[in-house]
């Protein structure tokens, strides 16, 4: 068991690592001794986060990237591999949501906006970056951050989010498929599916969602980004080497209540 949970010295990319759950994930890897490259649209904010990791003794950077645009991903690819000589871990965390009902979505603008980031963005990142992981022959770990919204439709009347639920469910199945395709190269592919976890999406939650946490969720509290990060560190460590194709729920027990 010596160093079974260590990610020290691993090279890690985290999309959307400048805020919310992504910030917690990037922080968890940095505190665990990994080198971290944050990819996000708000590069100045991401740079602040990367600079704040300096006390942990690794290498940290932020690279501007819009994962919904494959050309932007290709530009980020060049910068990442100028900074890292190889990639060990890819965490696809960046995501967006909506509060628009499907039939009220003007020209399906919200549908396409959310799917282009939450599903196509994940595909863009894996298509570009997993090719480097395959070529390096060192194995690795791909972790997709999804949601328990990929497993059930929660309170859709008060909090409509149809493209988000659809994208997260698709990411779960895509993860299972990729685990098969990439397993031959020693690359594990998993999802972490948070439940009610503090992020920038908190402001969009209705009161009924907050009441659900207080009254029904077994743990009676929101999760924290750093807790999702800890799960990711486990999956990327030697201890997680035989876990692949899994949707790993971290929801304070909410799903088991049937809500």
């Amino acid at each position: 068991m010596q160093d079974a949970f260590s990610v020290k010295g691993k090279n890690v990319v985290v999309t959307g690592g400048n805020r919310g759950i992504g910030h917690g994930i990037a922080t968890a890897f940095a505190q665990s001794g990994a080198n971290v490259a944050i990819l996000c649209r708000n590069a100045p904010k991401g740079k602040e986060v990367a600079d704040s990791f300096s006390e942990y003794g690794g290498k940290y950077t932020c690279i501007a990237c819009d994962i919904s645009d494959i050309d932007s991903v290709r530009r980020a690819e060049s910068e990442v591999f100028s900074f890292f000589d190889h990639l060990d871990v890819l965490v696809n965390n960046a995501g967006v949501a909506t509060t628009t009902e499907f039939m009220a979505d003007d020209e399906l603008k919200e549908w396409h906006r959310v799917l282009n980031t939450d599903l196509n963005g994940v595909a863009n990142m894996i298509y570009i970056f997993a090719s480097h992981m395959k070529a390096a022959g060192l194995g690795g770990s791909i972790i997709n951050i999804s949601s328990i919204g990929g497993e059930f439709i929660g309170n859709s009347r008060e909090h409509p989010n149809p493209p988000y639920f659809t994208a997260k469910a698709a990411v779960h199945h895509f993860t299972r498929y990729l685990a098969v395709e990439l397993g031959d190269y020693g690359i594990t592919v998993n999802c972490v599916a948070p439940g009610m976890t503090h992020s920038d999406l908190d402001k969009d939650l209705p009161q009924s969602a907050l009441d659900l946490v207080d009254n029904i969720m077994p743990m009676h509290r929101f999760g924290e980004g750093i807790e999702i990060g800890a799960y990711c560190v486990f999956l990327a460590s030697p201890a997680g080497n035989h876990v692949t194709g899994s949707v790993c729920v971290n929801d304070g027990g909410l799903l088991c209540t049937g809500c």
Side-chain angles (χ1 to χ4, degrees):
M1 291 298 293
Q2 186 175 2
D3 298 327
F5 297 91
S6 175
V7 293
K8 186 174 178 60
K10 288 185 180 288
N11 297 331
V12 182
V13 164
V14 181
T15 66
N18 58 314
R19 62 183 186 175
I21 291 175
H23 180 274
I25 294 168
T27 301
F29 274 105
Q31 290 182 350
S32 299
N35 305 309
V36 179
I38 292 169
L39 271 57
C40 63
R41 290 180 295 182
N42 187 346
K45 176 60 177 176
K47 186 177 184 305
E48 287 180 18
V49 174
D51 289 346
S52 74
F53 294 159
S54 60
E55 65 181 289
Y56 305 128
K59 293 174 57 181
Y60 316 107
T61 191
C62 175
I63 296 166
C65 182
D66 178 355
I67 67 167
S68 71
D69 178 356
I70 197 164
D71 291 329
S72 179
V73 173
R74 290 189 189 279
R75 290 191 292 271
E77 170 195 19
S78 177
E79 292 189 56
V80 166
F81 289 101
S82 293
F83 188 71
F84 291 151
D85 62 357
H86 71 282
L87 181 63
D88 298 298
V89 183
L90 170 62
V91 183
N92 292 305
N93 162 79
V96 295
T98 187
T99 54
T100 301
E101 293 180 349
F102 180 75
M103 296 305 296
D105 188 353
D106 181 34
E107 297 297 317
L108 290 179
K109 291 176 184 175
E110 286 295 274
W111 175 267
H112 291 296
R113 180 184 71 87
V114 174
L115 281 174
N116 279 340
T117 294
D118 293 9
L119 177 57
N120 296 337
V122 172
N124 289 341
M125 287 295 300
I126 295 174
Y127 182 74
I128 297 300
F129 284 89
S131 63
H132 289 270
M133 299 170 79
K134 286 171 58 178
L138 300 173
S141 178
I142 296 172
I143 304 167
N144 300 318
I145 306 304
S146 59
S147 167
I148 60 170
E151 300 293 318
F152 83 123
I153 305 302
N155 198 16
S156 57
R157 292 192 183 278
E158 290 189 53
H159 190 226
N161 207 346
Y164 180 87
F165 293 134
T166 301
K168 298 305 184 182
V171 166
H172 288 179
H173 222 44
F174 187 40
T175 295
R176 296 177 183 112
Y177 168 79
L178 287 172
V180 176
E181 180 168 326
L182 297 178
D184 290 345
Y185 303 93
I187 300 169
T188 62
V189 188
N190 292 289
C191 268
V192 174
M196 306 286 276
T197 305
H198 284 309
S199 73
D200 291 349
L201 301 181
D202 287 7
K203 64 183 183 302
D204 297 326
L205 294 174
Q207 183 59 46
S208 59
L210 305 181
D211 292 341
L212 192 68
V213 173
D214 289 339
N215 301 324
I216 298 177
M217 181 191 290
M219 296 306 294
H220 301 292
R221 68 170 178 85
F222 275 70
E224 301 295 339
I226 196 75
E227 294 175 309
I228 304 303
Y231 214 153
C232 292
V233 168
F234 158 69
L235 290 171
S237 74
N241 276 351
H242 204 240
V243 181
T244 196
S246 293
V247 175
C248 306
V249 172
N250 189 325
D251 72 340
L254 185 58
L255 274 182
C256 72
T257 68
C259 292

